[in-house]
């Protein structure tokens, strides 16, 4: 999330960057405080919207690196290369690195698709609200790949 904010910040005009910088600093402070919260405190603290600190605190207790490196069952990792919610450079590449030599894990990156596995229209995080409102269907290629993967397992 914080990476998304940094990406969005770089796409804004300079005069809006100052305002957004203050909001992002506040969000970073909230995230920084999560690890020190009790479970009860985290369940009562809103980070933004209807999302509570407990969600992030609980997720931090289950690092994906531990999970993927020990997983024996089949794993399918898919991502659109225009996904601005999950980074291909940071996340997708990290998962690939964690799973080197694991024959139970399959990866596929889809050119031109966003986080919803639909054709990216804008390709910028600052336009995600507009992009997600465009009526589209999940890519047929993604659906076919998922079906093939399921049927071969």
């Amino acid at each position: 999330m914080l990476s998304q904010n940094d990406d969005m910040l770089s796409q804004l005009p300079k005069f809006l960057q100052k305002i957004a910088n203050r909001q992002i600093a506040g969000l970073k402070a909230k995230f920084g405080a999560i690890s020190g919260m009790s479970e009860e405190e985290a369940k009562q603290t809103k980070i933004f919207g209807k999302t509570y600190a407990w969600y992030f605190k609980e997720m931090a207790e289950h690092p994906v690196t531990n999970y993927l490196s020990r997983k024996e069952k089949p794993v399918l990792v898919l991502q659109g290369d225009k996904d601005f919610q999950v980074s291909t450079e940071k996340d997708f590449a990290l998962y690939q690195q964690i799973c080197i030599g694991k024959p139970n894990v399959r990866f596929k990156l889809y050119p031109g698709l966003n986080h919803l596995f639909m054709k990216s229209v804008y390709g910028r995080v600052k336009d995600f609200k507009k992009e997600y409102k465009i009526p589209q269907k999940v890519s047929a290629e993604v659906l076919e790949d998922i079906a093939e993967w399921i049927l071969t397992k």
Side-chain angles (χ1 to χ4, degrees), residues 11 82 84 120-125 127 131:
Q11 294 173 18
K82 298 295 182 194
F84 42 78
S120 179
V121 176
Y122 298 103
R124 297 180 311 238
V125 67
D127 295 318
E131 180 155 313

Side-chain angles (χ1 to χ4, degrees), residues 4 78-87 112-120 128 131-132 138:
Q4 289 174 39
L78 309 175
Q79 184 175 340
D81 76 345
K82 298 295 182 194
D83 185 340
F84 42 78
Q85 291 186 250
V86 184
S87 165
L113 298 186
N114 64 23
H115 190 70
L116 304 177
F117 294 108
M118 297 176 184
K119 185 177 178 352
S120 179
F128 82 93
E131 180 155 313
Y132 288 176
V138 172

Side-chain angles (χ1 to χ4, degrees), residues 41-92:
E41 184 181 11
K43 286 180 178 179
Q44 296 174 11
T45 304
K46 283 187 182 179
I47 297 296
F48 57 86
K50 294 181 181 183
T51 306
Y52 288 84
W54 181 81
Y55 172 78
F56 299 103
K57 184 173 183 67
E58 202 276 331
M59 290 295 291
E61 293 174 13
H62 309 284
V64 73
T65 53
N66 296 348
Y67 178 79
L68 281 175
S69 61
R70 293 192 319 254
K71 192 75 177 155
E72 298 290 330
K73 293 184 178 183
V75 176
L76 178 62
V77 180
L78 309 175
Q79 184 175 340
D81 76 345
K82 298 295 182 194
D83 185 340
F84 42 78
Q85 291 186 250
V86 184
S87 165
T88 55
E89 296 85 18
K90 296 173 190 167
D91 304 303
F92 193 77

